[in-house]
Amino acid sequence: MTDQRGQEPEKIRRGVIKSAVLETVCGITSTFPKNAHPEFAFAGKSNVGKSSLINGLMNRKALARTSSQPGKTQTINYYHVNDEVYLVDLPGYGYTKASVEVREKWGKMVERYLKTTAMLKAVFLLVDIRHEPSQNDKVMYDWIVYNGYHPIVIATKLDKINRSQVQKHVKMLRTGLGMVKQDILIPFSAQTKQGRDEIWELMDRLGGKEQ
């Protein structure tokens, strides 16, 4: 990406986060903002580590609120980083205590976002590297594809398994989700921040391209 003077802006991938703010919160009936900067959406089941990932990407400890209570994120939250890009936190799925009616409303809200947001460049799907993908994970993966995107899978909780097991578990996730060879999967640890730079580099590259 270049600015109006044709100069390349400082890359976020260098780890320089000058500003990060929760700019917009959208509920089920909200009108989504028409942002001028690229958006990257993050989806994942409840308690997969989505808030921890977003905090890690922004170099913030608690801007995206983490909770031991599943299903806490019931809105679409827009985090504006360096006045250059939006990280968009989608409601967690698979929260069994939410009523069917509420889950359907969340689903329709997310679908409306995916289909109507002009600046969305990619959708990241978070799955737990320790376990085989759940049925909800598989459904979400296929649903994102159905809505016109190729999900970029982030395998969270990397620090919870032995290094010698990483490739075995990566293969397990790719097979379980039905990923093809060219699909991207990035292992990530909220503790060590492994994978953070790779995610930013990918967003930096995709930010100047059409989906």
Side-chain angles (χ1 to χ4, degrees):
M1 291 184 292
T2 58
D3 61 19
Q4 293 179 344
R5 297 166 296 179
Q7 296 175 332
E8 189 175 351
E10 184 176 23
K11 300 298 184 185
I12 297 179
R13 67 183 178 214
R14 293 174 182 167
V16 180
I17 306 298
K18 297 178 179 178
S19 64
V21 295
L22 174 57
E23 186 175 280
T24 308
V25 176
C26 290
I28 292 171
T29 61
S30 299
T31 299
F32 299 131
K34 295 181 179 180
N35 294 319
H37 295 143
E39 297 176 13
F40 295 92
F42 294 82
K45 65 183 179 183
S46 300
N47 276 11
V48 75
K50 192 152 47 68
S51 295
S52 296
L53 167 69
I54 292 173
N55 281 327
L57 290 173
M58 297 187 298
N59 276 347
R60 299 294 189 270
K61 291 185 177 180
L63 184 54
R65 288 178 294 177
T66 60
S67 174
S68 59
Q69 179 185 356
K72 189 171 184 63
T73 302
Q74 301 179 17
T75 53
I76 295 179
N77 300 333
Y78 294 74
Y79 297 92
H80 203 186
V81 181
N82 285 10
D83 292 325
E84 291 179 3
V85 65
Y86 287 93
L87 308 185
V88 182
D89 187 5
L90 302 178
Y93 57 83
Y95 179 44
T96 56
K97 290 186 179 180
S99 68
V100 173
E101 181 181 3
V102 168
R103 292 201 299 269
E104 287 180 351
K105 287 181 178 179
W106 290 355
K108 289 178 181 178
M109 176 173 63
V110 173
E111 183 175 23
R112 182 164 59 91
Y113 169 76
L114 294 178
K115 289 185 174 181
T116 62
T117 302
M119 295 304 292
L120 181 60
K121 300 300 180 181
V123 180
F124 290 88
L125 176 62
L126 280 64
V127 295
D128 190 328
I129 197 170
R130 299 173 296 177
H131 311 297
E132 290 190 12
S134 67
Q135 183 61 32
N136 282 327
D137 291 329
K138 296 175 185 177
V139 169
M140 190 66 180
Y141 182 90
D142 292 340
W143 189 66
I144 294 170
V145 172
Y146 175 78
N147 278 281
Y149 294 88
H150 295 284
I152 299 165
V153 175
I154 299 178
T156 62
K157 306 184 187 294
L158 176 61
D159 52 283
K160 303 295 185 182
I161 63 173
N162 294 329
R163 185 175 299 180
S164 61
Q165 296 293 308
V166 171
Q167 290 307 313
K168 174 185 175 181
H169 284 245
V170 165
K171 182 178 180 181
M172 175 184 71
L173 293 180
R174 295 186 70 94
T175 301
L177 290 171
M179 299 176 68
V180 297
K181 185 176 181 180
Q182 62 266 33
D183 287 343
I184 298 171
L185 185 150
I186 302 173
F188 174 80
S189 167
Q191 298 298 319
T192 67
K193 301 301 187 290
Q194 182 176 338
R196 177 184 183 274
D197 290 346
E198 189 176 354
I199 295 169
W200 269 123
E201 287 173 5
L202 183 58
M203 289 193 292
D204 185 59
R205 190 164 73 246
L206 293 173
K209 298 179 181 180
E210 295 297 325
Q211 172 69 29

